[in-house]
Amino acid sequence: MARVKEVHVEATYLKSLPNYENIRVGAAATLVIEEGDSVPEVYKKAWDMVGREVAGQIAEFGGKKK
């Protein structure tokens, strides 16, 4: 039977800036499944990590103008 060894998640977001330019932010995470780990819980952890990173990047560029 096949076994899940890793979980990889990736997200990107395209944000329009006030000066009519765009910025694309993104993040990815690969987590290794350890003995006894729950695959759905590892996925949730990976998505939470990626989501926080993307949200932080969006916030960083949200109010800045060139």
Side-chain angles (χ1 to χ4, degrees):
M1 173 126 218
R3 219 179 91 217
V4 178
K5 294 181 180 182
E6 293 184 340
V7 168
H8 178 83
V9 298
E10 186 171 348
T12 61
Y13 184 84
L14 180 64
K15 175 157 180 65
S16 296
L17 299 175
N19 61 358
Y20 302 105
E21 291 182 351
N22 297 315
I23 181 102
R24 183 177 306 274
V25 297
T30 301
L31 281 68
V32 175
I33 307 294
E34 300 289 337
E35 182 87 27
D37 283 346
S38 163
V39 174
E41 287 177 16
V42 174
Y43 261 112
K44 181 175 179 356
K45 181 178 181 179
W47 279 118
D48 289 347
M49 291 169 54
V50 168
R52 279 192 306 272
E53 180 60 31
V54 169
Q57 290 178 35
I58 292 167
E60 185 175 328
F61 289 99
K64 293 185 178 181
K65 296 180 182 179
K66 281 188 174 183

